[in-house]
Amino acid sequence: LGIRSVPFLKRIVPHILATVKNCGQSGLREALLQQVASLSSIVHENLRPYLPAIFDVVEEFWFSRHLSALCSLVERVAAAVPDDFRKYVPLLVRQILASVEGVNVSEGSSSNNASSEIERLELILKHVQGIKHVLGEYIHLIIPALIQLTESLIAPVTDGVRISPKSGSGICHVAVETVETVTILLQTIELNSNPLDNNIKSNTALPARVVQPFLRMLGGEVKPNKPVGTAIIQCLCVCIRQLGSGRWLSFYDSTARETINMWQTKVGFENVAPRAEEDYRVTENRLRSFSRPIDIYTDVVADYEHWESI
């Protein structure tokens, strides 16, 4: 029926949501949640009266097997009624933080438990990325939690010993995804910031809080592997832009250079040249993919110095 279904919403939606809460069949509940998600993309603001009931369902079943369907529903509601959605962001952030802070993943965990935890983490991280534009000031709560999560994933405790997960493992993949989520959230703050705002703290406090722990992780006893360390350095490059090259050079540059150099030496990062037959197609961005992290870092600092001097 499409938009013609709007007059029937008052009969349909309450019944669907009541069935979701009371039915004992997980398959039926999953299907109904998907139907509500699809409906929200069609009726948009007409779903507004049912938001309290929808978020009651989200809160009740967040830690169930229906997380994927709930994330899809929430993202579509956020797109359909963004202004009304903001009222429910605190509830959602509580659920996200509880999920992130309660994670217990290590190489020594049972295969089923570890896989389940990693799958849930990946869903939540993708969900955070999907609703980044409506998180507002709550990003300042989420990013510190993601930094702590990154540290626990980089050096999980296994039989009393702290080890770094293998490249290509599920834990490595979700660690990279966690750092990339931090980077995306930082870029969201940058896009939403007011360039006429003279309050330096409002624009730079959070990037400054990211730099120190990430540098500590790169220089720690348990080194991040190549994919995770590279993601961290890319995040630091975003911080350079947000803090400004002048402040970065004054407070962070020397430590960052030393730490990145030590890390890439420790993990065996070599400068790899492109194959001869590909040389004619290599662009500046592709050349960077063959560079050492310290070379990329140096280029980024130089670029921002140049832009800010113009």
Side-chain angles (χ1 to χ4, degrees), residues 288-308:
R288 282 190 170 185
S289 69
F290 298 107
S291 300
R292 298 175 304 162
I294 190 61
D295 298 326
I296 297 173
Y297 169 83
T298 299
D299 287 348
V300 169
V301 173
D303 286 346
Y304 289 145
E305 278 190 284
H306 174 71
W307 292 342
E308 291 178 14

Side-chain angles (χ1 to χ4, degrees), residues 212-231:
Q212 294 292 356
F214 272 174
L215 286 177
R216 186 182 69 250
M217 291 179 211
L218 278 178
E221 182 179 348
V222 181
K223 305 292 185 187
N225 57 37
K226 290 182 181 180
V228 179
T230 300

Side-chain angles (χ1 to χ4, degrees), residues 13 17 36 40 44-58 73-74 76-78 80-88 91:
V13 177
L17 295 176
V36 177
S40 67
H44 301 292
E45 70 276 2
N46 295 288
L47 201 66
R48 188 177 291 117
Y50 312 104
L51 291 183
I54 288 174
F55 279 94
D56 280 346
V57 168
V58 170
L73 171 59
V74 169
R76 295 194 186 193
V77 170
V81 284
D83 292 337
D84 298 271
F85 179 87
R86 296 181 198 280
K87 175 182 177 181
Y88 300 95
L91 180 153

Side-chain angles (χ1 to χ4, degrees), residues 99-100 102-106 109 111-124 174:
S99 300
V100 169
V103 168
N104 181 20
V105 177
S106 70
S109 301
S111 177
N112 290 339
N113 288 342
S115 296
S116 177
E117 287 285 278
I118 289 170
E119 183 179 353
R120 286 187 63 83
L121 267 180
E122 290 176 337
L123 282 171
I124 290 167
V174 79

Side-chain angles (χ1 to χ4, degrees), residues 52-242:
I54 288 174
F55 279 94
D56 280 346
V57 168
V58 170
E59 185 173 20
E60 181 173 347
F61 293 101
W62 181 263
F63 293 97
S64 72
R65 59 181 294 182
H66 303 293
L67 179 61
S68 179
L70 290 173
C71 288
S72 176
L73 171 59
V74 169
E75 288 169 29
R76 295 194 186 193
V77 170
V81 284
D83 292 337
D84 298 271
F85 179 87
R86 296 181 198 280
K87 175 182 177 181
Y88 300 95
V89 171
L91 180 153
L92 194 59
V93 169
R94 286 199 302 271
Q95 302 300 94
I96 291 170
L97 292 178
S99 300
V100 169
E101 293 168 355
V103 168
N104 181 20
V105 177
S106 70
E107 298 283 357
S109 301
S110 70
S111 177
N112 290 339
N113 288 342
S115 296
S116 177
E117 287 285 278
I118 289 170
E119 183 179 353
R120 286 187 63 83
L121 267 180
E122 290 176 337
L123 282 171
I124 290 167
L125 293 170
K126 289 295 186 184
H127 180 54
V128 170
Q129 296 174 20
I131 62 171
K132 59 183 181 295
H133 291 298
V134 294
L135 290 174
E137 67 271 19
Y138 293 97
I139 287 176
H140 290 72
L141 297 176
I142 295 175
I143 284 183
L146 294 181
I147 291 173
Q148 291 181 6
L149 173 61
T150 302
E151 189 160 23
S152 70
L153 293 170
I154 287 175
V157 178
T158 302
D159 296 329
V161 179
R162 296 180 69 81
I163 61 171
S164 183
K166 298 177 182 178
S167 295
S169 66
I171 297 177
C172 172
H173 177 78
V174 79
V176 171
E177 191 75 42
T178 304
V179 177
E180 290 177 346
T181 303
V182 172
T183 303
I184 289 170
L185 292 180
L186 286 174
Q187 291 170 322
T188 301
I189 292 175
E190 181 181 28
L191 291 173
N192 290 340
S193 63
N194 180 0
L196 300 178
D197 187 356
N198 293 320
N199 183 355
I200 295 177
K201 182 179 179 181
S202 67
N203 291 332
T204 64
L206 193 54
R209 291 175 63 190
V210 171
V211 174
Q212 294 292 356
F214 272 174
L215 286 177
R216 186 182 69 250
M217 291 179 211
L218 278 178
E221 182 179 348
V222 181
K223 305 292 185 187
N225 57 37
K226 290 182 181 180
V228 179
T230 300
I232 288 176
I233 294 169
Q234 289 170 343
C235 184
L236 292 175
C237 289
V238 171
C239 293
I240 297 171
R241 179 178 181 182
Q242 294 185 324

Side-chain angles (χ1 to χ4, degrees), residues 3-18 39 43 46-50 53:
I3 197 66
R4 291 177 294 174
S5 64
V6 169
F8 306 102
L9 291 180
K10 61 184 178 182
R11 297 181 182 178
I12 298 172
V13 177
H15 176 69
I16 292 177
L17 295 176
L39 192 61
V43 301
N46 295 288
L47 201 66
R48 188 177 291 117
Y50 312 104

